[in-house]
């Protein structure tokens, strides 16, 4: 491609509203332009990268036995009503009506549509397993679109769905998809980590996320320093706490006027925060419930909303609700004598002689003890704390440490949560109708492009890994419009490389050399070849590798040999 004929508007200055490197560089290098919040047009250079990413994803999935389909973006409400998600999905799902006032949505995901296809077309266990995928536009009306295409409202996803007659078959495919995702990310030369994850709106039992490691990532990953354990912080757990010591103090009610925070209580009573218990009140399925964590721990809201009896999504009670239910305000609450149902984090359960609110304005208990002063049923002891770096890993293999990551892929074990309500059954070997076990498998194609840049850039621009680069070679012709020698040599080399199947971008613009070099660094094509009059006289061209910085003045033959792998 001749650069003079391609729309590639580069920008010198950093756009003010772009917070992360990939967003800044995608705008500056002319890969994307914003149309409205969370909506982007992909320009020719950016689209070429999308196509490279898609091709790798498609090749690896096809090699893993998945078959490609294409489902509509617009989906009828009836399908979502069958699974109950029409009412369960919040405002992230954009609902629309057609000219007949029928309800539709713009697909945020496609479980219902694929399950509908399956129940119409597949009837026997003999046709199983089957594994479908598509590469399609999704729409999610994200509350806070940000970081450019990283969290957009309209984006491209590869979504896949598998159907199985039994657990063993499902396990095989889930493992195959897990390995396939690893192969895809390795082909893109990305540094990534697979972690245990929460299942969110998609549902099902277990899931794994694939994170590209980057300091700018929105997610925190907790991993074991001495073993394989790794999980999203939303889901991460640690080893159980050590056994609780026996009580050694008497229960005492002390005046703590005006003191409501853990720090103030601990300071006033001369104890550390880990000896104090924090009582939080949230909405339950009926009425309010209390959640107790250690004073130095933070409640993990994702874990908390999974506790049976706690309403999801998690909603904290207002001060007025709390006052109406308990007769006192939040800062004076504690489990001893509390009239609400109480769930206690297991680390809070391990504290003896603790300090907590006395459920009376201006008073706390000291020397409080579980069992002796307040009992908790076994099924009310829960794991709802956010793990911390240094916590012992759950499998005992070292400690937890944190990394930041960008979630580019997510695979789910769905069981029959879609096939059962939608009656997508097949006949099994015994002639009975059974709901197949399902899996679903997503990759954010457009988010992947941003994640690749987060891991592959420097202060002057992008450094594309070869497998996803928009072009392989950037041919810079200096003074192309003035020098016949340069024009002749550049056109000939461009043709020669192109004829060999190498993707070349020829900078034939009437621009100063400085502009061409700066744009080349910004755009980040892996191999740069500069043709200038001075070099030509000496019989050499200038080669430079974008990522390593390696450069050499070489005759054309040596450069061609490098680029065609014949060296
Ligand atoms: P997140 O926690 O980041 O919102 P999610 O759990 O909602 O992601 P999934 O439903 O698992 O995402 O979607 C599969 C993949 O689609 C994600 O792993 C991610 O790569 C991509 N994706 C999800 N939401 C967006 C978005 N708003 N913009 C771009 N890509 C997205
Ligand atoms: Mg989401």
């Amino acid at each position: 491609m001749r650069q003079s004929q391609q729309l590639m508007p580069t920008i010198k200055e950093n756009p003010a509203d772009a917070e992360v490197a990939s967003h800044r560089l995608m705008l500056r290098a002319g890969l994307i332009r914003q149309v409205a919040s969370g909506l982007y047009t992909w320009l020719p250079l950016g689209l070429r990268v999308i196509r490279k990413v898609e091709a790798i994803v498609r090749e690896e999935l096809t090699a893993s036995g998945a078959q490609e389909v294409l489902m509509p973006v617009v989906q009828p409400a009836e399908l979502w009503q069958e699974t109950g998600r029409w009412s369960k999905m919040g405002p992230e799902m954009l609902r629309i009506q057609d000219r007949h006032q029928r309800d539709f949505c713009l697909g945020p995901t496609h479980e219902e549509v694929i399950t509908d296809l399956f129940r119409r077309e597949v009837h026997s266990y003999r046709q199983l397993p089957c594994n479908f995928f598509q590469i399609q536009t999704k729409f999610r009306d994200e509350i806070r679109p940000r970081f450019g295409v990283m969290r957009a409202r309209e984006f491209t996803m590869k979504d896949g769905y598998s159907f199985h007659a039994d657990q063993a078959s499902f396990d095989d495919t889930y493992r195959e998809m897990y390995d396939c995702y690893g192969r895809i990310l390795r082909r893109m030369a990305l540094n990534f980590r697979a972690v245990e994850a929460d299942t969110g709106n998609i549902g099902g039992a277990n899931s794994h996320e694939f994170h590209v490691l980057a300091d700018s990532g929105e997610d925190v990953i907790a991993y074991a320093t001495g073993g394989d354990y790794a999980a999203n912080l939303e889901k991460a757990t640690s080893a159980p706490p050590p056994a609780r010591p026996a009580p050694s103090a008497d229960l005492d009610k002390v005046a703590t006027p005006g003191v409501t925070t853990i720090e103030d209580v601990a300071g006033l009573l001369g104890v550390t925060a880990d000896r104090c218990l924090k009582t939080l009140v949230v909405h339950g399925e009926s009425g309010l419930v209390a959640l107790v964590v250690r004073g130095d721990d933070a409640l993990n809201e994702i874990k908390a909303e999974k506790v049976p009896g706690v309403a999801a999504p998690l909603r904290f009670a207002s001060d007025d609700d709390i006052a109406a239910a308990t007769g006192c305000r939040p800062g004076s609450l504690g489990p001893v004598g509390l009239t609400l149902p109480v769930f206690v984090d297991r680390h809070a359960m391990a504290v003896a002689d603790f300090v907590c609110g006395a459920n009376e304005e201006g008073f706390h208990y000291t020397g409080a003890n579980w069992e002796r002063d307040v009992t908790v049923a076994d099924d009310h002891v829960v794991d709802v704390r956010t793990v911390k770096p240094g916590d012992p890993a759950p499998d005992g293999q070292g400690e937890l440490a944190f990394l930041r990551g960008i979630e580019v892929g997510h695979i789910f074990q769905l069981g029959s949560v879609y096939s059962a309500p939608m009656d997508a059954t097949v006949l099994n070997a015994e002639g009975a109708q059974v709901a197949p076990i399902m899996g679903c498998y997503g990759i954010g194609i457009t988010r992947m492009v941003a994640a690749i840049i987060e891991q592959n850039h420097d202060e002057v621009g992008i450094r594309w890994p070869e497998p996803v680069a928009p072009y392989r070679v950037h041919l810079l012709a200096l003074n192309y419009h003035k020098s016949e020698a340069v024009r002749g040599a550049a056109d000939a080399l461009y043709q020669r490389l192109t004829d060999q199947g190498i993707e070349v971008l020829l900078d034939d613009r009437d621009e100063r050399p400085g502009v061409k070099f700066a744009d080349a660094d910004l755009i980040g094509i892996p191999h740069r070849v500069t043709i200038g009059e001075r070099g030509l006289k000496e019989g050499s061209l200038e080669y430079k590798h974008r990522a390593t910085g390696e450069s050499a003045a070489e005759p054309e033959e040596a450069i061609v040999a490098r680029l065609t792998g014949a060296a």
Side-chain angles (χ1 to χ4, degrees):
M1 174 58 70
R2 287 171 180 273
Q3 210 163 327
S4 60
Q5 283 158 39
Q6 179 156 295
L7 181 64
M8 286 179 46
T10 54
I11 304 170
K12 260 217 204 97
E13 306 304 327
N14 270 327
D17 53 347
E19 294 169 66
V20 294
S22 58
H23 188 195
R24 281 196 294 275
L25 291 169
M26 289 179 85
L27 289 169
R28 287 190 52 208
L31 307 185
I32 55 167
R33 286 294 181 262
Q34 184 178 308
V35 176
S37 171
L39 304 178
Y40 290 87
T41 293
W42 288 78
L43 277 57
L45 201 63
L47 186 59
R48 288 183 74 94
V49 181
I50 292 192
R51 296 289 180 247
K52 295 277 166 84
V53 171
E54 286 176 349
I56 291 173
V57 167
R58 186 174 271 124
E59 267 175 46
E60 291 298 333
L61 280 162
T62 306
S64 288
Q67 44 186 323
E68 188 167 2
V69 294
L70 187 58
M71 294 178 266
V73 173
V74 177
Q75 305 180 12
E78 289 75 27
L79 290 179
W80 290 75
Q81 282 153 355
E82 287 188 51
T83 58
R85 286 209 293 180
W86 185 255
S87 51
K88 200 174 147 207
M89 295 291 284
E92 222 176 85
M93 186 155 88
L94 185 64
R95 293 148 213 261
I96 50 174
Q97 287 193 330
D98 69 4
R99 64 169 79 205
H100 307 293
Q101 283 74 52
R102 291 193 197 106
D103 289 322
F104 291 84
C105 66
L106 291 189
T109 177
H110 280 74
E111 284 78 12
E112 281 80 358
V113 178
I114 195 78
T115 307
D116 182 52
L117 174 76
F118 179 89
R119 71 178 163 187
R120 289 166 190 274
E121 308 302 335
V122 181
H123 303 291
S124 161
Y125 73 97
R126 287 201 191 87
Q127 295 168 275
L128 301 184
C130 42
N131 190 3
F132 304 101
F133 77 97
Q134 67 172 344
I135 296 178
Q136 174 63 297
T137 300
K138 298 281 186 272
F139 191 93
R140 295 181 181 180
D141 203 353
E142 298 277 354
I143 188 163
R144 213 144 66 93
R146 56 187 189 146
F147 305 151
V149 299
M150 197 93 89
R151 184 167 297 284
R153 295 198 295 167
E154 185 176 310
F155 58 97
T156 309
M157 195 198 290
K158 183 291 290 181
D159 45 326
Y161 308 88
S162 69
F163 296 82
H164 307 269
D166 55 50
Q167 188 64 35
S169 160
F170 169 76
D171 291 343
D172 281 350
T173 297
Y174 191 80
R175 166 54 59 181
E176 177 59 33
M177 287 298 103
Y178 184 100
D179 293 344
C180 180
Y181 276 34
R183 288 194 292 273
I184 288 169
L185 294 167
R186 275 189 288 276
R187 270 185 69 179
M188 298 185 199
L190 288 166
N191 182 12
F192 70 97
R193 186 108 197 199
V195 309
E196 294 175 18
D198 176 63
T199 53
N201 268 334
I202 310 285
N206 292 309
S207 77
H208 288 89
E209 289 171 349
F210 289 77
H211 286 265
V212 168
L213 303 179
D215 290 339
S216 57
E218 285 187 289
D219 287 275
V220 176
I221 297 165
Y223 69 98
T225 51
D228 291 334
Y229 180 78
N232 192 308
L233 186 61
E234 292 178 350
K235 159 117 187 183
T237 187
S238 59
R244 180 173 68 236
S248 67
D250 294 330
L251 184 67
D252 195 11
K253 189 152 99 179
V254 296
T256 51
V259 170
T260 54
T261 66
I262 291 288
E263 298 79 71
D264 291 349
V265 171
L268 180 73
L269 301 176
V271 294
T272 47
D274 59 355
R275 303 293 303 282
C276 304
L277 298 191
K278 188 156 60 180
T279 302
L280 304 159
V281 182
V282 299
H283 287 270
E285 275 148 10
S286 55
L288 302 182
V289 300
L291 301 171
V292 177
V293 294
R294 223 168 63 182
D296 61 331
D297 278 338
L299 180 75
N300 180 319
E301 297 186 16
I302 306 277
K303 286 190 199 174
E305 69 184 24
K306 296 247 144 60
V307 171
V310 171
L314 195 74
R315 267 172 51 232
F316 286 95
S318 69
D319 288 6
D320 289 346
D321 287 344
I322 294 171
T326 67
C328 83
R329 296 203 317 195
S332 304
L333 295 177
V336 181
L338 189 62
T339 49
L340 300 175
V342 177
F343 292 92
V344 184
D345 180 73
R346 47 190 196 147
H347 280 73
M349 254 342 260
V351 188
D353 304 330
F354 57 82
V355 171
C356 64
N359 303 312
E360 191 180 331
E361 211 73 42
F363 288 94
H364 278 77
Y365 285 122
T366 61
N369 278 280
W370 299 111
E371 285 180 37
R372 191 192 68 188
D373 306 319
V374 50
T375 53
V376 181
D378 284 349
D379 61 354
H380 279 222
V381 178
V382 292
D383 174 8
V384 292
R385 78 188 266 279
T386 302
V387 299
K388 296 176 189 162
D391 282 350
D395 55 5
Q397 308 287 303
E399 296 182 342
L400 295 181
F402 286 7
L403 280 172
R404 295 197 80 89
I406 300 165
E407 178 201 323
V408 293
H410 201 168
I411 60 177
F412 298 81
Q413 308 184 354
L414 297 177
S416 57
V417 296
Y418 293 93
S419 52
M422 291 186 72
D423 279 330
T425 56
V426 292
L427 273 184
N428 71 8
E430 288 75 45
Q433 293 284 351
V434 293
I437 297 171
M438 288 175 63
C440 89
Y441 317 97
I443 291 182
I445 299 284
T446 42
R447 181 182 286 183
M448 183 82 81
V449 176
I452 292 168
I453 297 173
E454 287 296 327
Q455 259 187 18
N456 295 278
H457 70 271
D458 58 20
E459 51 301 331
V460 290
I462 303 169
R463 300 196 301 206
W464 290 113
E466 202 130 343
V468 294
Y471 294 91
R472 192 141 173 263
V473 178
H474 202 171
L475 199 53
L476 307 194
L478 308 184
N479 292 321
Y480 181 89
H481 289 258
K482 291 194 197 106
S483 161
E484 219 163 284
V486 166
R487 190 159 61 247
D491 286 348
L493 181 56
Y494 172 66
Q495 201 54 52
R496 183 173 175 191
L497 292 173
T498 304
D499 287 347
Q500 299 208 41
I502 296 175
E503 295 170 314
V504 185
L505 181 67
L506 169 62
D507 191 347
D508 59 346
R509 296 174 302 164
D510 189 7
E511 291 284 2
R512 286 181 294 110
V515 172
K516 295 195 177 199
F517 288 127
D519 278 352
D521 283 341
L522 177 60
I523 291 163
I525 292 168
H527 305 276
R528 176 167 106 192
V529 178
T530 305
I531 303 185
E533 241 171 354
R534 191 160 0 117
L536 280 181
K537 278 188 195 129
E538 289 158 15
S540 71
L541 312 180
E542 181 78 22
Y543 169 83
K544 186 164 183 203
H545 191 270
R546 175 67 181 92
T548 64
E550 178 205 349
S551 69
E554 287 177 345
E556 179 173 320
E557 288 315 312
I559 287 178
V560 170
R562 257 181 203 277
L563 298 175
T564 55

